[in-house]
Amino acid sequence: MAPSAAAATQIDMSLEAPPPGGYVTGAEYHITSIPGQGGADSDNRVVFTDNGRCFAAYWRVGGKDSTGSSRVFPAVEKSVRWVPTTTGAHTIVATANEATATLTVNTVAPPVGAPPPPPDDPNANGCNDTGNPHAEKPGTGSF
């Protein structure tokens, strides 16, 4: 049986308003995502990319309730950090299962003498965490 349209994964995403003069390369901004319903009985990984390069990711937990019935993910708002490292056009994409949300923005050069953008740590931002940390391990269960 195919999942109903209501059970399909959805995602909404927004970026904080730009400061006067626009988004600045090397400055920190926050992107808010609201992955909607979907993915009952499985975990959802939400991945954020900037021009195809992952800059943040996190897992949303799914599963069964105490009666054994499948449950869908609630729409929970989450904010992730984005620091553009290049000047110009940025296509930011949030992906959860088959759903995507896209934002396109431009960044301007930082003021003369501004410190360079901090390097990304892919181990700290969830991009390298491809193994599901919520998967039930053999021989274990939940009560």
Side-chain angles (χ1 to χ4, degrees), residues 69-92:
S69 297
S70 296
R71 66 177 173 88
V72 295
F73 300 110
V76 177
E77 184 175 293
K78 174 118 177 158
S79 179
V80 297
R81 176 181 169 269
W82 174 59
V83 178
T85 57
T86 59
T87 300
H90 293 265
T91 300
I92 301 166

Side-chain angles (χ1 to χ4, degrees), residues 9-111:
T9 301
Q10 304 159 358
I11 189 166
D12 292 317
M13 178 176 56
S14 63
L15 175 61
E16 67 187 75
Y23 298 106
V24 177
T25 302
E28 180 175 312
Y29 303 99
H30 293 92
I31 296 173
T32 302
S33 69
I34 306 172
Q37 296 183 31
D41 279 337
S42 64
D43 288 346
N44 249 313
R45 185 164 186 249
V46 183
V47 177
F48 297 83
T49 60
D50 176 357
N51 292 338
R53 185 174 163 271
C54 181
F55 67 89
Y58 64 91
W59 288 93
R60 299 174 63 232
V61 183
K64 295 186 178 281
D65 65 19
S66 60
T67 67
S69 297
S70 296
R71 66 177 173 88
V72 295
F73 300 110
V76 177
E77 184 175 293
K78 174 118 177 158
S79 179
V80 297
R81 176 181 169 269
W82 174 59
V83 178
T85 57
T86 59
T87 300
H90 293 265
T91 300
I92 301 166
V93 178
T95 305
N97 288 343
E98 303 84 31
T100 60
T102 303
L103 297 170
T104 302
V105 297
N106 285 301
T107 61
V108 296

